[in-house]
């Protein structure tokens, strides 16, 4: 009888994972983020491979099947199940509380049936810097503890470190460290705040640009990804970093297939970057050997091919900008009337207006060339802004709130910059032409001003946009341009547009003597003003999201 009791006790210890108190262990759990593949057999094979290479914890989503849970039970893995609550502002979290409580009940039922369920993630990448979010996490944590008798821990994942406000209401916070140049320093920033519990690492990883370009001398190559894990993973799993997290999750086991909108963690990254230890087709990357060797403590150093640096791509933004400036120089050299009008515009505005009003020097061809150059400059500036902002979490966060179709369209445009430049340029030119026609119609009853005359008054005041374009050329050629630079460039463009709009109205009033009422109507009906009003009205329904964006931009 004693032998039977002893065997039963040993079997219980082997099957059941350690209790929550053991989560404060000195050695971190070694884990990986995993999206369940199609097919139970493939999922079970993944879990067996993970277990064989030393993985102790797997972070996945709540939709995992019962059969896969049973497989995890048999392998002794610890599962951390994320609720499908992603990228929400504080108010939105509270709005989804009822739905989230039902999900927690489901997770608790699974935890009672399967010993492998050890943690439930209450939200991913939501606004935990706002104290208003804490009520959501507190209610869910209490429900989870009641439903599992305290056996399952609660957590959330996010990037806020110094300004995280809700760490005291959950069992652990998993800090995301994807694409972070100094993950150790960021994690130390978490522990520098007094009174905080030990954090975990929710996602450690570096993205791979392409599997076809190889070598350490290639930025974002598979070898660079492997070197990143070689450098930082042993430090996080050991005691050399000064911070010993509860758990370290490598991001991720396998790439998400592009176009698979329903895949787990898609909303974390609308660009669906490649972070996997395996490619989407299952081909292993060098980082897999590093992670396996580190988890099993078999290797500390790894050799990788240095490769050859990729050929430098032509600076097409610089060439395009210089093409616009060259076009301006060519028309200045070939058009004597243009050379004659330029000094009048800058030095004698009265004579410029008089020449336009009398129709003596209406340069329709020159104005059309200037309009085309303005469209190109606008498109180039828009590309520089988009290419700079897309590198920041703010952009991915805002993009994740849009529908899948809009996300796909924006990502496609950003991947084809020339199409983006042409599209924005055409929209910009069309807007200016529409306003030219509108001003011509509004002023026709006061003075016989032709559309070609109005076009000069619309196009010429926008010459400072070429200065903004030069700034955009510099920004596009600076890979590490900051968010503040992009904001400054956008603000300069907006100020130039406002100044040009007012200057056109002043010139139109002097040329055609339109009334103040007509001038106000022309201002309100400007296509760009109408577009701005539509955008403002659209964003009014996203006030909580705007607050979240502000917090993400100003808090760390």
């Amino acid at each position: 009888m004693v032998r039977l009791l002893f065997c039963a006790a040993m079997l219980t210890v082997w099957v059941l994972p350690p209790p929550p108190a053991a989560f404060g262990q000195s050695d971190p759990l070694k884990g990986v983020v995993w999206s369940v593949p199609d097919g139970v057999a493939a999922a079970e094979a993944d879990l067996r491979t993970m277990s064989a290479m030393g993985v102790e914890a797997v972070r996945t989503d709540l939709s995992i099947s019962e059969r896969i849970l049973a497989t995890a039970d048999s392998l002794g893995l610890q599962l951390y199940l994320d609720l499908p609550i992603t990228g929400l502002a504080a108010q939105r979290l509270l709005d989804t509380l009822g739905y989230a409580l039902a999900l927690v009940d489901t997770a608790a039922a699974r935890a009672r049936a399967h010993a492998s369920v050890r943690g439930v993630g209450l939200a991913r990448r939501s606004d935990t810097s706002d104290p208003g979010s804490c009520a959501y996490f507190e209610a869910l944590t209490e429900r989870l503890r009641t439903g599992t008798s305290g056996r399952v821990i609660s957590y959330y994942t996010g990037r806020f470190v110094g300004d995280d406000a809700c760490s005291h209401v959950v069992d652990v916070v998993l800090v995301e460290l994807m694409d972070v140049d100094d993950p150790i320093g960021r994690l130390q920033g978490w522990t520098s705040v007094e009174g905080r519990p030990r954090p975990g690492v929710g996602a450690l990883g570096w993205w791979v640009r392409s599997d076809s370009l190889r070598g350490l001398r290639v930025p974002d190559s598979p070898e660079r990804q492997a070197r990143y894990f070689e450098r930082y993973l042993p430090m996080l799993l050991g005691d050399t970093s000064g911070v010993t997290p509860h758990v370290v999750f490598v991001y991720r086991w396998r790439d998400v297939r592009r176009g698979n909108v329903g895949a787990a963690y898609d909303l974390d990254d609308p660009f669906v970057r490649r972070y996997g230890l395996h490619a989407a087709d299952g081909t292993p990357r060098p980082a897999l050997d590093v992670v396996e060797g580190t988890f099993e403590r078999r290797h500390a150093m790894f050799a990788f091919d240095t490769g050859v640096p990729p050929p430098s791509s032509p600076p097409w933004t610089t060439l395009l900008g210089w093409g616009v400036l060259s076009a301006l120089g060519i028309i200045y050299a070939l058009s004597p009337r243009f050379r004659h009008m330029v000094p009048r515009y800058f030095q004698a505005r009265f004579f410029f207006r008089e020449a336009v009003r009398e129709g003596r020097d209406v340069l329709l061809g020159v104005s059309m060339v200037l309009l085309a150059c303005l469209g190109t400059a606008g498109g180039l500036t828009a590309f520089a802004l988009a290419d700079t902002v897309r590198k920041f979490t703010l952009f991915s966060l805002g993009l994740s709130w849009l529908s899948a179709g809009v996300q796909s369209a924006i990502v496609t445009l950003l991947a084809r910059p020339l199409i983006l430049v042409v599209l924005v340029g055409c929209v910009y030119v069309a807007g200016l032409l529409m306003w030219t026609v509108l001003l011509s119609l509004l002023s026709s009853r006061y003075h016989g001003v032709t559309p070609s005359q109005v076009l000069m008054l619309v196009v010429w005041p926008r010459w400072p946009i070429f200065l903004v374009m030069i700034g955009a050329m510099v920004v596009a050629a600076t890979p590490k341009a900051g968010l503040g630079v992009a904001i400054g460039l956008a603000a300069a463009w907006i100020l130039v547009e406002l100044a040009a709009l007012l200057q056109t109205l002043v010139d139109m009033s002097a040329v055609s003597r339109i009334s103040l009422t007509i001038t106000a109507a022309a201002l309100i009906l400007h296509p760009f003003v109408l577009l701005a009003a539509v955008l403002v009205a659209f964003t009014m329904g996203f006030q909580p999201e705007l607050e979240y964006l502000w917090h993400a931009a100003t808090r760390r």
Side-chain angles (χ1 to χ4, degrees):
M1 188 68 175
V2 175
R3 290 183 178 180
L4 288 176
L5 291 175
F6 176 77
C7 292
M10 291 300 295
L11 183 63
T12 302
V13 171
W14 179 75
V15 172
L16 292 178
F23 198 70
Q25 60 193 345
S26 57
D27 293 333
L29 289 171
K30 300 181 285 292
V32 65
V33 178
W34 178 55
S35 291
V36 181
D38 296 333
V40 175
E44 292 179 332
D46 278 353
L47 291 179
R48 292 190 181 95
T49 303
M50 293 176 195
S51 178
M53 63 177 280
V55 173
E56 300 168 334
V58 177
R59 182 179 151 223
T60 186
D61 51 36
L62 185 61
S63 61
I64 188 171
S65 70
E66 292 291 326
R67 180 173 168 181
I68 299 175
L69 286 171
T71 302
D73 292 342
S74 65
L75 294 173
L77 293 172
Q78 301 192 32
L79 297 183
Y80 292 75
L81 305 182
D82 288 351
L83 303 186
I85 307 292
T86 303
L88 296 186
Q91 184 58 48
R92 303 303 186 202
L93 283 173
L94 296 177
D95 293 342
T96 61
L97 182 57
Y99 171 65
L101 286 171
L103 292 175
V104 167
D105 291 339
T106 301
R110 292 192 157 198
R112 291 192 297 269
H114 297 278
S116 58
V117 178
R118 301 301 296 125
V120 175
L122 308 181
R124 298 198 307 260
R125 303 187 74 180
S126 295
D127 190 2
T128 57
S129 70
D130 190 334
S133 302
C134 299
Y136 166 88
F137 294 109
E138 187 173 7
L140 295 186
T141 298
E142 182 178 356
R143 177 70 70 90
L144 181 64
R145 289 172 179 170
T146 301
T148 63
S149 301
R151 189 182 67 82
V152 177
I153 65 167
S154 64
Y155 66 91
Y156 59 77
T157 66
R159 287 178 175 258
F160 289 105
V161 174
D163 294 306
D164 188 280
C166 301
S167 61
H168 61 285
V169 299
V170 295
D171 296 311
V172 67
V173 174
L174 302 183
V175 182
E176 291 190 342
L177 301 176
M178 297 181 299
D179 303 325
V180 176
D181 291 324
D182 183 16
I184 304 300
R186 189 166 181 81
L187 207 58
Q188 288 173 343
W190 172 276
T191 58
S192 65
V193 179
E194 188 176 354
R196 279 186 175 174
R198 243 171 100 190
V201 176
L204 176 72
W206 196 271
W207 76 297
V208 176
R209 185 180 304 274
S210 172
D211 285 303
S212 59
L213 299 175
R214 306 300 295 263
L216 292 174
R217 301 174 68 182
V218 179
D220 304 320
S221 65
E223 287 74 17
R224 283 283 189 94
Q225 180 198 44
R227 186 68 82 195
Y228 183 84
F229 284 117
E230 180 193 28
R231 180 177 181 183
Y232 293 113
L233 190 57
M235 297 174 66
L236 290 170
L237 294 177
D239 56 0
T240 59
S241 64
V243 179
T244 306
H246 285 298
V247 59
V248 177
F249 285 106
V250 169
Y251 192 83
R252 62 175 50 243
W253 180 251
R254 181 186 289 106
D255 291 343
V256 174
R257 291 186 181 276
R258 294 181 179 274
N260 188 2
V261 179
Y265 306 104
D266 254 10
L267 292 181
D268 286 357
D269 179 22
F271 295 103
V272 198
R273 295 184 178 95
R274 306 177 182 92
Y275 286 93
L277 301 178
H278 299 80
D281 61 0
T283 303
R285 293 195 173 105
L288 178 65
D289 292 334
V290 175
V291 172
E292 181 177 6
T294 305
F295 279 3
E296 295 184 343
R297 302 185 184 278
R298 290 189 290 103
H299 299 287
M301 300 181 65
F302 301 83
F304 305 107
D305 293 335
T306 57
V308 295
S312 58
S313 58
W316 66 269
T317 53
T318 304
L319 296 176
L320 185 61
W322 277 111
V324 172
L325 299 177
S326 300
L328 296 176
I330 290 173
I331 62 172
Y332 185 83
L334 297 180
S335 176
R337 296 175 64 192
F338 182 47
R339 292 198 302 271
H340 180 67
M341 286 292 287
V342 169
R344 287 187 177 185
Y345 178 82
F346 288 103
Q347 299 176 7
R349 183 62 63 87
F350 173 79
F351 293 107
F352 171 79
R353 293 170 179 165
E354 182 182 10
V356 174
R357 182 176 63 247
E358 299 300 328
R360 295 192 306 268
D361 290 306
V362 178
L363 308 178
L364 178 59
V366 170
S367 296
M368 294 300 294
V369 174
L370 289 176
L371 183 61
C373 291
L374 286 173
T376 306
L380 182 57
T381 303
F383 164 74
L385 289 172
D387 191 56
T388 301
V389 174
R390 66 175 292 185
K391 304 170 186 174
F392 296 94
T393 306
L394 286 177
F395 186 81
S396 296
L397 183 62
L399 192 59
S400 67
W401 295 328
L402 303 177
S403 64
V406 176
Q407 285 187 35
S408 177
I410 293 176
V411 172
T412 301
L413 280 177
L414 291 176
R416 294 168 174 82
L418 286 178
I419 296 179
L420 175 63
V421 170
V422 172
L423 179 62
V424 173
C426 290
V427 170
Y428 187 72
V429 169
L432 294 181
L433 289 176
M434 290 173 59
W435 201 45
T436 298
V437 174
L438 177 64
L439 288 176
S440 300
L441 294 175
L442 293 176
S443 62
S444 59
R445 59 178 295 187
Y446 292 93
H447 192 281
V449 182
T450 64
S452 59
Q453 292 170 293
V454 178
L455 184 62
M456 287 190 65
L457 301 181
V458 169
V459 170
W460 285 52
R462 283 172 168 76
W463 66 268
I465 290 179
F466 297 118
L467 300 180
V468 177
M469 181 195 70
I470 294 175
M473 293 164 59
V474 175
V475 172
T478 307
K480 294 189 177 182
L483 185 61
V485 174
I487 294 175
L489 184 64
W493 192 5
I494 293 173
L495 291 176
V496 166
E497 284 295 331
L498 291 175
L501 187 154
L502 296 176
Q503 184 62 62
T504 297
L505 292 178
V506 171
D507 292 340
M508 278 296 301
S509 179
V511 169
S512 63
R513 299 182 178 87
I514 60 177
S515 66
L516 182 61
T517 302
I518 298 299
T519 302
L523 175 61
I524 295 174
L525 295 176
H526 191 291
F528 297 154
V529 174
L530 293 177
L531 179 61
V534 170
L535 290 177
V536 170
F538 176 74
T539 56
M540 288 299 292
F542 292 89
Q543 184 177 355
E545 284 77 11
L546 294 177
E547 292 178 357
Y548 184 10
L549 286 178
W550 175 253
H551 294 164
T554 58
R555 300 176 180 178
R556 65 183 182 88

